[in-house]
Every structure is written in structure tokens, then in C-alpha cells.
Amino acid sequence: MAARRIDGKAIAQDVRAQVKRDVAAWVEHGHEPPGLATVLVGDDPASAIYVGGKQKASAEVGILGFDHRLPEDASHEEVDAILRDLAGDPRVSGILLQLPTPPQVDGAGLAAKIPPGKDVDGLTPISAGLLTQGRPGLRPCTPLGVMELLRRHDVPLEGAEAVVVGRSDLVGRPISSLLLAANATVTVCHSRTRDLAEVCRRADVLVAAVGRPRMIRGDWVKPGATVIDVGMNRTDEGLSGDVDFEPAAERAGLITPVPGGVGPMTIAMLLRNTLLAAQAAAEEPVGAAWR
Ligand code: NAP
């Protein structure tokens, strides 16, 4: 039996529409609109496209944009000064420093100093620590997107065997923490895992975040399992996930395609995070939809 496909594009659209309604309601209640600041150093075309996409998506839902672009030779101190200003600016709810930065700028070091309340990427050490300890905080966007896809499909997580392949700070680790917080029994795999295929076959929920095209074979999938493919790999045949989709879809119950699965969720969750950050900054109770 072929798996049902999870339509990440449609779910992301739905999240974005909901954020737009919630931003409008927030403003109607007399609050300032949320603001998203992006800081881009240099003129890398791919980074410019990412930043432009985030600003466009923000504007579409009524989030104010603060789009800072610095030349390739901007100094570390200049970028630091802008980030400090943004950290203290009450109109700015969320700050993103686009990485990588040119070599004279310690991008990772500066990004780590973004205050936790404005860390809408959820990737600073403080946000990561809050997540690991199960305390409130902003969570990374792609992992949040994965959880939203699972929630929308009522995938049972309590007591379920979840296997996450990949342990990066960006994807694997935070997804594992979120699944653990949802009471799944989580196994985290990596490049030194012994008999990866056998571990994957245990999974009720299998998350692939490796960066190797079609590495997860169809016969690694437990019949009826939910398979979430975070991988985005450019190959000669186009964009490919980490899962060998067709054979995996023969065995899975639910599966995300690539493209059109996890990918579109990241920006949607960034918008949601920005609204959440604005609400938290105003010390308003967070709406039930956000819990
Ligand atoms: P990463 O930092 O390179 O991490 C890859 C992880 O996979 C590492 O933990 C590595 O293990 C593990 N790994 C590598 N080879 C393996 C193998 N043969 N067996 C088992 N594990 C192995 O990559 P990432 O940033 O997490 O990204 C993973 C994928 O997700 C990429 O394709 C990326 O493009 C995609 N991605 C998509 C989105 C989205 O919006 N959909 C967002 C972010 C990333 P070690 O730790 O032992 O090295």
C-alpha cells in the first residue's frame, strides 16, 4: 500500500494565513506590529535570495521589515554595532544574521549574542539550552516545521519509537529534543551509528536529516511508519531528499516528498516565531494556538 503524502506546501500556506490573521488581531488590540530584522553582510547571491524571501514573506503577513545590508568589507565592529542597536530597538521582535559572513566578521560569535527573546531562528546556545531543558523559549524553525507536520496529521508521538538520523545543531539535535518533549522514545543516529538500517526499521517515526541523497533505503522503513525527510540535496537530477522516496513510500504510512514537504515549513515557522517573540516581549499571554 502506498503512503499518503504530507503536503508541506499546503500546510505552510495555512500556517502563514493563520499568522497573518493573528498579526492583524494583535495590531487591532492596540499593539505595534511585530518586526523582523535581517542583517546581510556581503553580496553572496544565494544569501541575498534567502534574506529577500524572508522579508517578502514577513511583509505578506503584516510583519515590519528591517532589512540591513552591509558591504563585503564591513568590519566585525560595524556588524556588532548594528546587532546591538537591533537588540535594543523595541520595534524589532526578531533578529536574523545571515550566515556565513565574510571572514573578518565572526558571524557565529555575533549570532550567539542575539538576545534569547529575539532569537527567532532559535539557534543560539541559550535557546538550545532552554530547549534541551524543556523550558519555554524560541525553537529552531525547521524542527518546528517538522513537529507541525506531525501535529497536523495527528501522528501519535507519546511512547512512539522515533529515530532521527543526523545530530546537527540546526536540525537533528533540536528535532530530537522536540520529539522527546512530546514523549516519544528517541534514538539519535549519526555517522558512527552501527547498523543504521536495523535502527531505522524500529521507527514509528523516522526523521532523516543527513544531507546524503536517497541514503535511507525503502527497506529501512517499518511498514506503516511516518517518514519525514528534511534532506535537501542538489543532484544532477534536481532536488533530492535523504530518503529513497518511491520504495520508502511503498512501505510508509505517511511520507514527506522533496520538494514540497519540510522545505516550505521553515519560513512559515519563522513568521510564527516572530509573532510569538513580539507577544512575549509585550508580556501578553500567548494564545492557545501557540502552545
Ligand atoms: P549536517 O550539519 O551536515 O549534519 C548531517 C548529520 O548527518 C551529521 O550529524 C552526520 O553525523 C550525519 N551523517 C552523515 N553521514 C551519515 C551516515 N552515513 N550515516 C548516518 N548519519 C550520517 O547537515 P544539516 O545541516 O543537519 O542538514 C541535513 C540535511 O537537511 C541537508 O540535506 C540540508 O540541506 C537539509 N536541511 C533542510 C532544511 C529545510 O528547510 N528543509 C533546513 C536545514 C537543513 P556526524 O554528526 O557523526 O558527522
Side-chain angles (χ1 to χ4, degrees):
M1 199 186 80
R4 277 190 299 143
R5 289 183 190 212
I6 296 178
D7 187 347
K9 214 169 150 191
I11 294 174
Q13 273 309 329
D14 199 57
V15 170
R16 286 161 75 144
Q18 182 67 47
V19 173
K20 187 174 180 171
R21 287 193 291 275
D22 289 350
V23 167
W26 178 248
V27 172
E28 226 166 77
H29 280 90
H31 298 280
E32 293 302 318
L36 179 66
T38 49
V39 179
L40 173 62
V41 188
D43 33 39
D44 175 62
S47 294
I49 290 171
Y50 290 140
V51 167
K54 288 168 188 172
Q55 286 294 349
K56 184 167 171 277
S58 299
E60 280 168 10
V61 298
I63 291 174
L64 293 182
F66 301 86
D67 188 356
H68 293 267
R69 306 215 174 196
L70 287 91
E72 185 74 28
D73 61 354
S75 70
H76 178 87
E77 289 68 29
E78 281 174 83
V79 184
D80 190 23
I82 286 183
L83 288 169
R84 273 174 203 274
D85 282 352
L86 294 171
D89 187 337
R91 299 169 305 161
V92 172
S93 323
I95 304 171
L96 298 177
L97 173 62
Q98 183 67 38
L99 298 178
T101 51
Q104 74 279 9
V105 178
D106 173 14
L110 289 176
K113 291 200 299 187
I114 293 172
K118 297 194 178 191
D119 177 24
V120 284
D121 255 348
L123 293 172
T124 62
I126 292 180
S127 296
L130 293 170
L131 170 57
T132 304
Q133 293 193 347
R135 298 188 194 204
L138 291 160
R139 311 307 194 202
C141 301
T142 302
L144 272 182
V146 168
M147 298 306 288
E148 185 69 15
L149 295 178
L150 295 172
R151 191 177 74 81
R152 296 270 181 144
H153 284 273
D154 294 321
V155 175
L157 295 177
E158 180 134 349
E161 288 276 354
V163 172
V164 180
V165 190
R167 57 174 167 180
S168 71
D169 292 341
L170 181 62
V171 196
R173 270 174 219 266
I175 288 179
S176 307
S177 297
L178 289 170
L179 288 166
L180 187 61
N183 296 318
T185 302
V186 183
T187 305
V188 185
C189 301
H190 46 78
S191 62
R192 321 287 164 82
T193 297
R194 247 187 292 134
D195 206 351
L196 183 61
E198 215 36 63
V199 179
C200 289
R201 284 189 194 108
R202 292 209 305 260
D204 302 310
V205 177
L206 177 59
V207 181
V210 186
R212 289 174 168 247
R214 290 188 284 277
M215 192 195 87
I216 308 286
R217 319 303 308 180
D219 66 354
W220 298 11
V221 173
K222 176 175 164 178
T226 298
V227 177
I228 304 288
D229 190 351
V230 185
M232 299 231 282
N233 309 295
R234 296 199 186 284
T235 68
D236 290 344
E237 298 97 59
L239 198 64
S240 159
D242 291 340
V243 176
D244 195 8
F245 183 83
E246 295 301 340
E250 283 300 311
R251 288 168 67 105
L254 265 175
I255 190 165
T256 57
V258 177
V262 176
M265 295 301 292
T266 302
I267 284 195
M269 304 317 283
L270 171 69
L271 302 176
R272 182 189 271 192
N273 265 357
T274 306
L275 173 59
L276 264 179
Q279 291 176 326
E283 290 180 338
E284 291 284 329
V286 171
W290 306 113
R291 288 205 191 95

